[in-house]
Amino acid sequence: MAMIELGFGRQNFHPLKRKSSLLLKLIAVVFAVLLFCEFLIYYLAIFQCNWPEVKTTASDGEQATREPVLKAMFLADTHLLGEFLGHWLDKLRREWQMERAFQTALWLLQPEVVFILGDIFDEGKWSTPEAWVDDVERFQKMFRHPSHVQLKVVAGNHDIGFHYEMNTYKVERFEKVFSSERLFSWKGINFVMVNSVALNGDGCGICSETEAELIEVSHRLNCSREHYPLYRRSDANCSGEDAAPPEERDIPFKENYDVLSQEASQKLLWWLQPRLVLSGHTHSACEVHHGGRVPELSVPSFSWRNRNNPSFIMGSITPTDYTLSKCYLPREDVVLIIYCGVVGFLVVLTLTHFGLLASPFLSGLNLLGKRKTR
């Protein structure tokens, strides 16, 4: 009897061991593919990006000085989903993608300043106060950054609405979180941040206030050139007390709908005289030249929700020169193909393990054996 009971115990042990072995294999494969697709693939993609080189030596008479280079990242149209149109799975997937991409870029590239060019939220133009607080908390978690990295945000039409639907409450709510500064200076470089939604006119008070602020920024920039003849403008009327050193200017601004009106564009170019314009909104990259000399680059969307191949712009900028390059994030279709391939592999592995499908490896050996015996 003892031998019979022992025999039954051995018979029950082998299937259990086989099931445990299969489970461990499945867990190992699932863990490996999750680790790669949700973490390592971002390092693999962004590791290939490098800061573009820019000339850093400026000659001043007999002396040559090395200009400081500012490393700036420009991204746009994150469109964090809200409570009305955002499905929880869509939120989880796309926001995780942006968080991992941003945090990986910070760690690998070490930028000094990051600009987000509008449409941070998808439903900011109509979100309730409670939903707004939730959206802001999610944004701050996703785009957390060290204290030495500056994060500058420009409002877009999805954040405060188009000119015909925005109001003082929406604008103040946004600026309370993201600041209302128009002029940001670092390492001898001025960045003018323009919410171009408010440049449509139509007699709205907010639009008039925006124009007045831009005229004031223009005045401050012109004043900085009054004491330096190379940068002087004939219409500048400045007092020496508020003058700043001469600095070149870059304008990251958010386009209104597809493009700004020609009148608004001409006003901006005349007031600010930029050497480079960076904008968002279109979700795609394109380049135009204003007057044949001022380039404007539209920054693609940072989210898989808007593009299969999101990207961001890297800029190496000095007071006299700049160089830009594009850094691509992982493609969503590649990640989906990997997941589908792994699911198919796991199905084949499971069926083969239980003898429901012949092992491709064993079938190949049997086929070779049959050919040798002929």
Side-chain angles (χ1 to χ4, degrees), residues 183-222:
L183 180 61
F184 167 69
S185 302
W186 201 352
K187 288 189 174 181
I189 306 159
N190 282 343
F191 295 87
V192 182
M193 296 174 287
V194 182
N195 160 26
S196 64
V197 174
L199 293 176
N200 265 316
D202 291 356
C204 70
I206 298 176
C207 304
S208 301
E209 291 176 7
T210 300
E211 286 202 7
E213 291 177 4
L214 289 174
I215 292 174
E216 174 61 23
V217 169
S218 174
H219 177 76
R220 290 166 59 189
L221 292 173
N222 293 333

Side-chain angles (χ1 to χ4, degrees), residues 37-316:
C37 290
E38 304 302 328
F39 289 93
L40 299 182
I41 195 170
Y42 295 97
Y43 289 91
L44 183 63
I46 298 176
F47 183 75
Q48 303 176 55
C49 304
N50 295 293
W51 291 103
E53 294 185 2
V54 63
K55 297 178 181 178
T56 58
T57 302
S59 297
D60 183 14
E62 297 180 353
Q63 295 182 339
T65 58
R66 187 174 181 82
E67 294 181 308
V69 179
L70 178 65
K71 296 180 179 179
M73 276 177 51
F74 302 90
L75 52 104
D77 297 283
T78 54
H79 283 273
L80 273 68
L81 294 173
E83 64 176 354
F84 298 111
L85 302 179
H87 189 275
W88 68 268
L89 183 59
D90 197 4
K91 276 186 182 181
L92 178 67
R93 185 75 193 127
R94 272 59 188 272
E95 292 183 7
W96 173 256
Q97 169 258 322
M98 288 189 287
E99 180 177 351
R100 292 315 319 150
F102 184 76
Q103 296 302 323
T104 304
L106 284 186
W107 191 79
L108 288 178
L109 302 176
Q110 300 289 311
E112 298 171 86
V113 60
V114 179
F115 292 95
I116 304 182
L117 308 184
D119 283 355
I120 292 84
F121 308 109
D122 194 58
E123 301 177 13
K125 55 187 176 181
W126 59 54
S127 61
T128 63
E130 295 77 14
W132 173 262
V133 171
D134 178 68
D135 292 345
V136 169
E137 289 179 351
R138 288 178 13 246
F139 172 85
Q140 292 173 339
K141 174 183 176 296
M142 292 167 55
F143 293 93
R144 60 191 181 276
H145 54 280
S147 57
H148 65 271
V149 177
Q150 297 277 347
L151 180 64
K152 302 298 179 181
V153 177
V154 185
N157 61 290
H158 278 265
D159 301 314
I160 58 177
F162 278 115
H163 63 286
Y164 55 81
E165 59 184 348
M166 70 177 180
N167 53 44
T168 303
Y169 168 74
K170 295 177 185 177
V171 174
E172 290 181 349
R173 181 173 70 175
F174 185 89
E175 292 181 345
K176 184 178 180 181
V177 177
F178 298 108
S179 176
S180 59
E181 65 179 330
R182 300 289 185 200
L183 180 61
F184 167 69
S185 302
W186 201 352
K187 288 189 174 181
I189 306 159
N190 282 343
F191 295 87
V192 182
M193 296 174 287
V194 182
N195 160 26
S196 64
V197 174
L199 293 176
N200 265 316
D202 291 356
C204 70
I206 298 176
C207 304
S208 301
E209 291 176 7
T210 300
E211 286 202 7
E213 291 177 4
L214 289 174
I215 292 174
E216 174 61 23
V217 169
S218 174
H219 177 76
R220 290 166 59 189
L221 292 173
N222 293 333
C223 287
S224 70
R225 288 175 275 174
E226 184 68 18
H227 300 275
Y228 301 88
L230 179 62
Y231 294 90
R232 181 180 298 178
R233 281 181 57 182
S234 60
D235 59 349
N237 182 17
C238 311
S239 64
E241 297 176 353
D242 299 326
E247 297 166 337
E248 295 291 336
R249 298 166 302 287
D250 301 86
I251 308 177
F253 70 80
K254 184 71 177 76
E255 295 177 338
N256 177 33
Y257 209 79
D258 287 328
V259 295
L260 279 174
S261 67
Q262 186 174 359
E263 178 185 0
S265 296
Q266 291 302 320
K267 284 183 178 180
L268 284 175
L269 293 172
W270 170 248
W271 288 335
L272 305 174
Q273 298 186 29
R275 56 172 166 155
L276 172 66
V277 178
L278 291 160
S279 59
H281 182 69
T282 64
H283 299 175
S284 301
C286 66
E287 183 175 357
V288 297
H289 286 77
H290 298 282
R293 66 179 186 86
V294 181
E296 176 178 351
L297 180 65
S298 179
V299 180
S301 174
F302 194 67
S303 173
W304 272 347
R305 190 167 184 261
N306 301 317
R307 294 189 61 83
N308 177 49
N309 60 335
S311 59
F312 60 90
I313 301 298
M314 302 167 59
S316 298

Side-chain angles (χ1 to χ4, degrees), residues 310-347:
S311 59
F312 60 90
I313 301 298
M314 302 167 59
S316 298
I317 308 172
T318 71
T320 59
D321 201 2
Y322 68 87
T323 308
L324 304 178
S325 66
K326 184 186 292 187
C327 181
Y328 285 97
L329 304 180
R331 295 174 61 96
E332 186 176 26
D333 59 355
V334 171
V335 175
L336 293 177
I337 289 172
I338 293 175
Y339 276 128
C340 291
V342 169
V343 169
F345 171 77
L346 293 179
V347 171

